[in-house]
Amino acid sequence: MEVLDALDLSDVIFAGHSVAGMMGMLAAIEQPDRFASLIMVCPSPCYVDEPGYKGGFSRQDLDELLEVIDSNFLEWARDGSRAIMGNPDRPELGSDLGESFCRTDPSIAAHFPRVTFLSDHRSDLPKCETRTLVLQTMSDMVAPEEVGQYVAARMPNAQLHIMAATGHCPHMSAPAETIEAMRQFLDS
């Protein structure tokens, strides 16, 4: 919001991946006149499974994951990134993602996963009236397909696009497909 305010921007097209999609949604709720469209790539309003909602992780699994991250972030970043990427036939993508995690400031890296994975913005979804594209991949261990369906169904002006891409990072694993889906949305 500070960037938009400083530059006095309006009619912004915001694209955000994963939790950044939720951040964009919250910003659009706060100042809807600034946003023309949102593009949310594999977003999740809540990562914890609950009765009637599949977020991707049981609370116990999430607690164990956060413990691993807290105890050895660099090891988790290198090993967990392969699973997050979800393209075992292209291990270099997981390695690239892991290396980007490892370049993160350790003080932020230690706090960010906890804030992200324990957030719950499901009640905010109906408040966002900005035109939105929800891009959802197949076999996303972080934000399963049901999450993308949930997000799109609860936002008043959202459409869901299920991609052929797999894993949580289609902007890295399938950039051409990601760009084409964005273009189609923006041209419509």
Side-chain angles (χ1 to χ4, degrees):
M1 295 312 305
E2 289 177 12
V3 171
L4 297 179
D5 289 343
L7 299 175
D8 193 28
L9 296 177
S10 61
D11 294 323
V12 170
I13 298 167
F14 177 91
H17 169 249
S18 195
V19 70
M22 290 293 110
M23 292 173 187
M25 179 195 73
L26 294 172
I29 292 168
E30 186 177 321
Q31 292 191 24
D33 294 340
R34 297 251 187 219
F35 294 87
S37 299
L38 300 176
I39 299 173
M40 303 169 86
V41 182
C42 301
S44 181
C46 179
Y47 295 89
V48 181
D49 295 340
E50 292 184 359
Y53 177 79
K54 181 179 179 183
F57 299 91
S58 71
R59 181 57 198 240
Q60 179 180 344
D61 288 344
L62 200 50
D63 288 341
E64 289 171 8
L65 173 64
L66 292 171
E67 187 176 311
V68 168
I69 292 170
D70 287 344
S71 67
N72 191 339
F73 177 77
L74 294 177
E75 183 177 327
W76 171 83
R78 289 189 179 103
D79 294 342
S81 59
R82 290 182 196 92
I84 291 168
M85 183 56 69
N87 285 266
D89 57 323
R90 297 167 62 196
E92 70 279 4
L93 293 174
S95 295
D96 289 348
L97 182 62
E99 291 307 313
S100 72
F101 288 163
C102 291
R103 288 189 298 270
T104 305
D105 179 327
S107 63
I108 293 171
H111 186 65
F112 189 74
R114 185 167 303 284
V115 171
T116 298
F117 287 128
L118 299 179
S119 66
D120 187 349
H121 293 287
R122 290 176 291 176
S123 65
D124 295 312
L125 295 171
K127 298 174 190 173
C128 183
E129 297 187 14
T130 303
R131 181 174 176 256
T132 302
L133 172 65
V134 177
L135 290 177
Q136 180 63 52
T137 62
M138 308 295 289
S139 303
D140 183 346
M141 70 164 287
V142 178
E145 188 175 338
E146 295 90 344
V147 174
Q149 293 168 348
Y150 183 95
V151 169
R154 281 156 183 82
M155 292 179 74
N157 197 12
Q159 67 184 58
L160 176 65
H161 178 88
I162 303 292
M163 302 175 69
T166 59
H168 190 60
C169 302
H171 54 291
M172 294 175 69
S173 64
E177 182 186 7
T178 304
I179 291 167
E180 181 57 28
M182 291 176 168
R183 280 191 181 136
Q184 287 179 10
F185 171 72
L186 295 172
D187 290 344
S188 66

